Amino acid sequence: MDGNGLTTSPILEETFYALSRKQYSYKVSLTKEGLHLTKNVDDSTEKTDLIHIRDIIGCKCMRNSGKSDHCACRPAKAGTAEAARGGTAETDDCRVRVPYVEAGDCSAYLCVYAFVLKNVGAKNEKRDKMTVTLRFRNYSSYDENSRVATKWKLAIKSLLQARCEDGTIVAPSDDHYLGNHLLVIVNPKSGVGKSREIFQRKIVPILNMADVDYDLHITCMQNDARNLMRTSNIYKWGRGVVVLGGDGLMFEVINGLMERSDWQRAFEYLTLSVIPGGSGNGMAKSISYETNEPYNPDPILISALNIVGGIRCPMDLVRVETRTQVVYSFLSIGWGFIADIDIESERIRMLGSPRFTIWSIARLIGLRSYPARLSYSKINDLETETRMNNYARGTSGDFQVVADDEPVSIEFGMDPLEEFAVRERVESFSSIISKRTAFMSVNEAPSFSSIPDVIEGSEVWVRGPLSKLPPLSDPVPSDWVVVEDEFVMIHASYLSHISEDVIIAPKSKLNDGVIWLLVIKNGISRTTFLQFLLGLSSGNHLAVPNVEMIPVRAFRLEPLSEGSHLVVDGELLKHSPVQAEIMPGITNVYARQKFS
């Protein structure tokens, strides 16, 4: 480490002067760690502040508009006096406040946008926007100064586009850097119906700061997003697909991709992300929980930063099979109490997330139980199971694991589910009736043609990985646990949260290869069940008597009476026996950092 607090050699370095009541300057150094700002006052060096590269989302070169009356060149947070006075600098689509300049100014400006953590470790921890404005004026012509500013811009963007592997920055290339075009799918009716406003007011500015191009699609009917994913050329959206809405919209996107003949390539290519706009928002909260991001102060900001951060992280999906269809789930499978609330509270959807609390009280008063047979393949060694599933695998052939730091080739048949003989794929027979989709053209993206109509009544096949479970009509394997009883609820989760305020599976990871099976049998008192409900917001519900949490690879649920609801990712399925199996890490999502 040198005298300026640098641990690595600077890529670029300049001194920038500021004019105020007290003369001082900043020595600004760009390293692979980020921007180092060293303040010098009266020839004495003060501490160096680091704006880490992981907190920077973008930068823009600008030219002064000539409307100014003050001079300062320093990092400033929006809303402070330093940021509020002075003139403006402009690009084609952005304007910011910059220092005073004399007439005929030939300076070039570089604005660097970052969202830094504040109040780290405190209850009010959050991310604040910081804009660093650098003025380049070493030369007498704007073109020469602009070349220097552009050099800094390209260096910063190169670091942003790079990938970190074992602490080493990898140079951008087609293999390491995703395309910059994004598809944003907005459900205008999700939650309390403010998704369009959220997108324009909160998401668009962040995408602009990060120079991310996007296409915007507004859904106009149920299964619209599903049809779009099934029939579109998704490979023009190299940056990925973002859904702004509830968990049901992500369910449509995933299952639309699974209905493609090139489903495997599609999941390998696309990265998915979600902006919370629904009533539950379990996926958005789970990602921030796993990466220790401060979600609650501004959930939309944190989720948007996941997108422009551009780090791909694997996530498990679950294959769900009933007698009539196959779907793929990313969140949970519910039966009993929570499923009843999810479906029956739809009549007060206009209230947003409080609808779940209101209906919980109603259902607690009239607590129900249902007879069923539950069978499952229990995981006895979580550490080994998770380690096995942390390595990439395909749907056929070999995959690699590491034992004692040496690679070992293992046949696919050696999967922990090897006892389930691979059987012929059972496909969904659901026919999706499609309408012409509605695209909205936006300034940042050219408009493009709508997808062709699908012939009404045509069959749509769900594809995806082969099942290793026996058919629903056959008995379960002999080493499965089988329980026949009356149940208040059974809930299978593979994310930590099923909604923003319900941490149902605290130990769950996005890529742990585990289905967390929550089981509550009949006989629990209302008082004890109330303790369970109150503990859901903190994870303390697992300490309540008569509450079981079982890690499983697969399970089968056979209801023995009518009247119960079967809910997958908030979507109601036809009442039927159901079986589910984990599909480790077959999709990717955006997060601020890679999961452990």
Side-chain angles (χ1 to χ4, degrees), residues 250-520:
M250 180 60 77
F251 177 83
E252 286 193 24
V253 166
I254 289 172
N255 282 278
L257 291 172
M258 283 296 185
E259 291 165 353
R260 299 175 63 97
S261 59
D262 61 345
W263 66 269
Q264 188 171 3
R265 181 187 173 206
F267 276 102
E268 290 172 353
Y269 181 79
L270 286 181
T271 307
L272 306 180
S273 191
V274 61
I275 304 292
S279 301
N281 307 317
M283 178 175 172
K285 182 59 182 285
S286 295
I287 291 173
S288 67
Y289 177 78
E290 188 156 335
T291 55
N292 295 316
E293 283 290 316
Y295 179 87
N296 290 333
D298 195 338
I300 294 169
L301 171 65
I302 292 300
S303 299
L305 293 178
N306 286 339
I307 301 166
V308 297
I311 303 299
R312 285 163 56 95
C313 303
M315 186 177 80
D316 300 339
L317 295 180
V318 167
R319 185 183 186 276
V320 183
E321 179 184 341
T322 70
R323 283 176 177 163
T324 58
Q325 67 181 137
V326 172
V327 296
Y328 286 83
S329 167
F330 68 94
L331 182 65
S332 68
I333 303 168
W335 180 80
F337 185 87
I338 292 181
D340 292 345
I341 292 170
D342 211 358
I343 297 305
E344 295 171 7
S345 67
E346 280 288 325
R347 65 194 71 180
I348 55 171
R349 169 177 283 274
M350 74 291 298
L351 298 180
S353 56
R355 70 185 174 106
F356 299 119
T357 302
I358 295 172
W359 216 261
S360 294
I361 296 172
R363 288 276 60 84
L364 178 62
I365 295 172
L367 194 60
R368 305 169 183 167
S369 64
Y370 304 99
R373 182 183 300 112
L374 175 65
S375 311
Y376 54 85
S377 172
K378 185 176 181 181
I379 297 173
N380 294 313
D381 188 342
L382 274 176
E383 184 177 349
T384 300
E385 191 80 14
T386 301
R387 187 164 177 256
M388 290 279 289
N389 289 318
N390 273 340
Y391 296 87
R393 69 182 72 177
T395 57
S396 62
D398 298 347
F399 69 104
Q400 293 265 315
V401 301
V402 175
D404 298 327
D405 299 323
E406 292 295 331
V408 180
S409 181
I410 295 183
E411 295 289 335
F412 190 77
M414 293 296 290
D415 185 275
L417 287 171
E418 65 174 334
E419 67 269 26
F420 310 140
V422 176
R423 60 186 171 87
E424 185 177 352
R425 180 183 286 117
V426 177
E427 313 231 1
S428 169
F429 306 107
S430 58
S431 296
I432 307 299
I433 299 175
S434 175
K435 300 288 186 181
R436 188 175 295 274
T437 58
F439 288 95
M440 294 186 64
S441 177
V442 290
N443 292 334
E444 289 71 18
S447 60
F448 51 94
S449 301
S450 58
I451 63 176
D453 289 338
V454 175
I455 298 175
E456 197 166 306
S458 62
E459 288 185 334
V460 176
W461 297 95
V462 174
R463 305 171 192 271
L466 291 172
S467 174
K468 295 184 179 181
L469 301 184
L472 272 168
S473 57
D474 289 356
V476 298
S478 59
D479 59 346
W480 280 33
V481 178
V482 180
V483 179
E484 186 170 327
D485 210 326
E486 291 264 344
F487 299 91
V488 172
M489 63 174 285
I490 296 172
H491 209 93
S493 305
Y494 7 102
L495 293 180
S496 59
H497 291 69
I498 57 172
S499 67
E500 290 181 334
D501 55 355
V502 175
I503 177 171
I504 195 164
K507 293 183 179 180
S508 179
K509 305 292 182 184
L510 273 78
N511 187 34
D512 59 5
V514 179
I515 298 174
W516 296 88
L517 202 59
L518 181 69
V519 179
I520 300 180

